[in-house]
Amino acid sequence: FFFKVSSRKQELCAFNIFGFGKNEKSQLGLNKRSIQEPSPLIVQKLSDRDIVSVCGGWNFTVALDKLAHVWSF
C-alpha cells in the first residue's frame, strides 16, 4: 500500500493532514498509540506547517514542508 498527495502550485497551498486507520506503531502521527482510529483526526504537529507533499505506506508516513523539512512518523 502506498499513497502520495502533493501540491503542484507555486503559491502556498495550505491544507490539513489527517490520519485514520491502523495505528499500532503510531504511524498516523496522532501522538497516541491505538490499534485502530476509525475516524479521520488532524495531525496537530503539522497543522502550522506549509505541507507541500505527503506519502506513506503500511507502517509510515512522510511529509515535506515548503522549507524542505521532512517529517516522518
Side-chain angles (χ1 to χ4, degrees):
F1 169 132
F2 182 80
F3 70 90
K4 182 172 190 277
V5 177
S6 63
S7 170
R8 298 197 186 278
K9 295 182 179 182
Q10 292 295 78
E11 69 271 6
L12 176 63
C13 180
F15 55 90
N16 287 315
I17 305 300
F18 291 82
F20 65 98
K22 180 181 167 187
N23 193 41
E24 294 168 334
K25 298 179 181 174
S26 299
Q27 65 265 40
L28 298 178
L30 301 174
N31 289 330
K32 66 179 183 174
R33 186 171 291 186
S34 55
I35 293 174
Q36 189 79 13
E37 286 298 329
S39 301
L41 300 171
I42 292 177
V43 178
Q44 294 294 330
K45 292 263 185 192
L46 299 179
S47 63
D48 63 343
R49 307 289 176 189
D50 297 328
I51 302 300
V52 297
S53 185
V54 179
C55 61
W58 192 255
N59 289 320
F60 72 95
T61 304
V62 180
L64 176 68
D65 70 19
K66 188 175 180 180
L67 300 174
H69 296 128
V70 176
W71 305 86
S72 177
F73 42 91

